[in-house]
Amino acid sequence: MLSIQEISDRLEIQDLLARYCDAVDRQDWDAFDRIFTSDAVIDYRALGGSYGDLAVTKRFLAESLPMFASSQHLVGSTVLDLDGDQARARTICHNPMVWRDGDDPSLLLCGLWYRDDLMRTPEGWRIRSRVEERSYIKQVAPGRPAGPGDQVT
């Protein structure tokens, strides 16, 4: 049976994962300071993205995501292992993204998992390490084709 603390931790972590998606889709990079630890390491290389600390990640996203008219990061099915003030999670993500490409935009469908190490801080749960694992990328409409160096978060 789950304790009240474990139920609370699970809900707080699910909220944190949703806040990440919301921040990316709104391109609110300042929100990352409330999602990640200050020393976080973030690895988006599996989908052609950056690897590095929070500053590198924010800069990379701020430079690359404006090429998309919109995106929706949809997370579900999180396998979560709690161990006191530490946790490990593997979360599925489906991410449709629309290229900024005039009257006939291209839709890019991306499937991935986020593999996270999390920790409880005085401000609440934060992601200390995030690694993307690629499942698929599929372009489903005309427009700018996705290339091997194109990045999806």
Side-chain angles (χ1 to χ4, degrees):
M1 181 182 306
L2 297 177
S3 69
I4 296 298
Q5 183 62 57
E6 186 172 355
I7 293 168
S8 176
D9 290 341
R10 288 177 177 278
L11 289 172
E12 289 176 33
I13 290 169
Q14 287 297 326
D15 183 65
L16 181 69
L17 298 176
R19 288 182 185 283
Y20 168 82
C21 295
D22 182 62
V24 172
D25 292 336
R26 288 187 302 108
Q27 299 186 22
D28 179 3
W29 314 128
D30 290 337
F32 275 34
D33 297 333
R34 297 179 301 278
I35 294 166
F36 292 94
T37 61
S38 60
D39 62 347
V41 176
I42 303 157
D43 185 352
Y44 293 150
R45 292 178 295 183
L47 293 167
S50 66
Y51 172 86
D53 63 16
L54 198 51
V56 165
T57 300
K58 290 163 104 176
R59 185 171 47 256
F60 170 74
L61 293 173
E63 291 171 359
S64 62
L65 285 187
M67 76 177 74
F68 297 101
S70 66
S71 67
Q72 291 182 321
H73 287 69
L74 311 167
V75 292
S77 302
T78 297
V79 175
L80 181 63
D81 296 312
L82 287 165
D83 184 15
D85 291 339
Q86 309 291 318
R88 298 191 86 140
R90 187 170 187 257
T91 304
I92 197 168
C93 178
H94 173 71
N95 177 18
M97 303 179 81
V98 177
W99 292 106
R100 290 192 188 279
D101 218 11
D103 293 334
D104 194 14
S106 180
L107 177 64
L108 188 64
L109 297 176
C110 305
L112 59 134
W113 292 272
Y114 293 122
R115 196 165 29 94
D116 296 323
D117 290 326
L118 303 106
M119 67 182 292
R120 185 192 326 268
T121 71
E123 295 79 32
W125 284 95
R126 299 292 185 266
I127 301 169
R128 181 176 53 199
S129 170
R130 168 160 278 187
V131 177
E132 287 183 334
E133 295 177 351
R134 179 180 170 157
S135 178
Y136 60 86
I137 294 179
K138 173 70 175 168
Q139 185 170 325
V140 295
R144 181 183 180 275
D150 287 333
Q151 182 309 120
V152 181
T153 61

